[in-house]
Short mmCIF file of all heavy atoms in Angstrom, two decimals:
data_model
loop_
_atom_site.label_atom_id
_atom_site.label_comp_id
_atom_site.label_asym_id
_atom_site.label_seq_id
_atom_site.Cartn_x
_atom_site.Cartn_y
_atom_site.Cartn_z
N ALA A 90 10.40 -20.99 23.37
CA ALA A 90 11.67 -20.45 22.92
C ALA A 90 11.54 -18.96 22.60
O ALA A 90 10.46 -18.48 22.27
CB ALA A 90 12.14 -21.20 21.68
N PHE A 91 12.66 -18.26 22.72
CA PHE A 91 12.71 -16.84 22.41
C PHE A 91 13.92 -16.63 21.51
O PHE A 91 15.02 -17.09 21.82
CB PHE A 91 12.85 -16.03 23.71
CG PHE A 91 12.93 -14.55 23.49
CD1 PHE A 91 11.80 -13.83 23.16
CD2 PHE A 91 14.13 -13.87 23.60
CE1 PHE A 91 11.84 -12.46 22.96
CE2 PHE A 91 14.20 -12.51 23.41
CZ PHE A 91 13.05 -11.80 23.08
N TYR A 92 13.72 -16.00 20.35
CA TYR A 92 14.79 -15.82 19.38
C TYR A 92 14.96 -14.35 19.02
O TYR A 92 14.00 -13.59 19.03
CB TYR A 92 14.49 -16.57 18.08
CG TYR A 92 14.38 -18.05 18.23
CD1 TYR A 92 13.14 -18.67 18.26
CD2 TYR A 92 15.52 -18.84 18.33
CE1 TYR A 92 13.03 -20.04 18.39
CE2 TYR A 92 15.42 -20.21 18.47
CZ TYR A 92 14.17 -20.81 18.50
OH TYR A 92 14.07 -22.16 18.63
N GLU A 93 16.19 -14.02 18.64
CA GLU A 93 16.48 -12.70 18.07
C GLU A 93 17.06 -12.94 16.68
O GLU A 93 18.02 -13.68 16.51
CB GLU A 93 17.49 -11.93 18.91
CG GLU A 93 17.86 -10.59 18.28
CD GLU A 93 18.92 -9.84 19.06
OE1 GLU A 93 19.49 -10.41 20.02
OE2 GLU A 93 19.18 -8.68 18.72
N LEU A 94 16.47 -12.32 15.70
CA LEU A 94 16.94 -12.40 14.32
C LEU A 94 17.48 -11.03 13.96
O LEU A 94 16.73 -10.06 13.88
CB LEU A 94 15.78 -12.79 13.39
CG LEU A 94 16.06 -12.81 11.91
CD1 LEU A 94 17.13 -13.83 11.57
CD2 LEU A 94 14.78 -13.13 11.15
N LYS A 95 18.79 -10.95 13.81
CA LYS A 95 19.42 -9.66 13.52
C LYS A 95 19.57 -9.54 12.01
O LYS A 95 20.33 -10.27 11.40
CB LYS A 95 20.77 -9.56 14.21
CG LYS A 95 21.32 -8.17 14.24
CD LYS A 95 22.27 -8.03 15.42
CE LYS A 95 22.68 -6.63 15.66
NZ LYS A 95 21.75 -5.84 16.38
N LEU A 96 18.83 -8.61 11.42
CA LEU A 96 18.86 -8.43 9.97
C LEU A 96 19.80 -7.32 9.52
O LEU A 96 20.26 -7.33 8.40
CB LEU A 96 17.46 -8.12 9.44
CG LEU A 96 16.48 -9.27 9.46
CD1 LEU A 96 15.13 -8.80 8.95
CD2 LEU A 96 16.98 -10.41 8.62
N LEU A 97 20.02 -6.35 10.38
CA LEU A 97 20.83 -5.20 9.99
C LEU A 97 22.04 -5.08 10.90
O LEU A 97 21.96 -5.31 12.10
CB LEU A 97 20.01 -3.92 10.09
CG LEU A 97 18.71 -3.90 9.30
CD1 LEU A 97 17.92 -2.65 9.64
CD2 LEU A 97 18.99 -3.96 7.82
N PHE A 98 23.14 -4.70 10.31
CA PHE A 98 24.34 -4.47 11.08
C PHE A 98 24.87 -3.08 10.73
O PHE A 98 24.78 -2.63 9.61
CB PHE A 98 25.41 -5.53 10.75
CG PHE A 98 25.04 -6.90 11.19
CD1 PHE A 98 24.35 -7.74 10.34
CD2 PHE A 98 25.33 -7.34 12.47
CE1 PHE A 98 23.98 -9.01 10.74
CE2 PHE A 98 24.96 -8.60 12.88
CZ PHE A 98 24.28 -9.44 12.02
N THR A 99 25.44 -2.41 11.71
CA THR A 99 25.99 -1.07 11.50
C THR A 99 27.51 -1.17 11.45
O THR A 99 28.12 -1.76 12.34
CB THR A 99 25.57 -0.13 12.66
OG1 THR A 99 24.15 -0.11 12.73
CG2 THR A 99 26.11 1.27 12.44
N VAL A 100 28.08 -0.59 10.41
CA VAL A 100 29.53 -0.57 10.26
C VAL A 100 29.96 0.89 10.31
O VAL A 100 29.44 1.72 9.57
CB VAL A 100 29.97 -1.22 8.92
CG1 VAL A 100 31.46 -1.11 8.75
CG2 VAL A 100 29.50 -2.65 8.85
N THR A 101 30.91 1.18 11.17
CA THR A 101 31.41 2.55 11.31
C THR A 101 32.83 2.60 10.77
O THR A 101 33.68 1.81 11.16
CB THR A 101 31.40 2.99 12.79
OG1 THR A 101 30.09 2.84 13.30
CG2 THR A 101 31.86 4.43 12.94
N ILE A 102 33.05 3.54 9.86
CA ILE A 102 34.39 3.72 9.27
C ILE A 102 34.85 5.12 9.63
O ILE A 102 34.18 6.11 9.34
CB ILE A 102 34.34 3.55 7.73
CG1 ILE A 102 33.85 2.15 7.38
CG2 ILE A 102 35.71 3.84 7.13
CD1 ILE A 102 33.61 1.95 5.90
N THR A 103 36.01 5.19 10.25
CA THR A 103 36.57 6.49 10.63
C THR A 103 37.45 6.98 9.49
O THR A 103 38.35 6.30 9.03
CB THR A 103 37.42 6.34 11.91
OG1 THR A 103 36.60 5.78 12.93
CG2 THR A 103 37.94 7.69 12.36
N LEU A 104 37.15 8.18 9.02
CA LEU A 104 37.94 8.77 7.95
C LEU A 104 38.97 9.72 8.54
O LEU A 104 38.68 10.43 9.52
CB LEU A 104 37.03 9.53 6.99
CG LEU A 104 35.96 8.67 6.31
CD1 LEU A 104 35.03 9.55 5.48
CD2 LEU A 104 36.62 7.62 5.42
N PRO A 105 40.17 9.77 7.94
CA PRO A 105 41.23 10.66 8.48
C PRO A 105 40.88 12.12 8.28
O PRO A 105 40.14 12.55 7.53
CB PRO A 105 42.46 10.27 7.70
CG PRO A 105 42.01 9.48 6.53
CD PRO A 105 40.62 9.01 6.83
#
Side-chain angles (χ1 to χ4, degrees):
F91 180 75
Y92 298 102
E93 177 183 8
L94 175 62
K95 194 155 190 81
L96 289 178
L97 304 173
F98 294 90
T99 303
V100 177
T101 304
I102 299 173
T103 304
L104 300 175

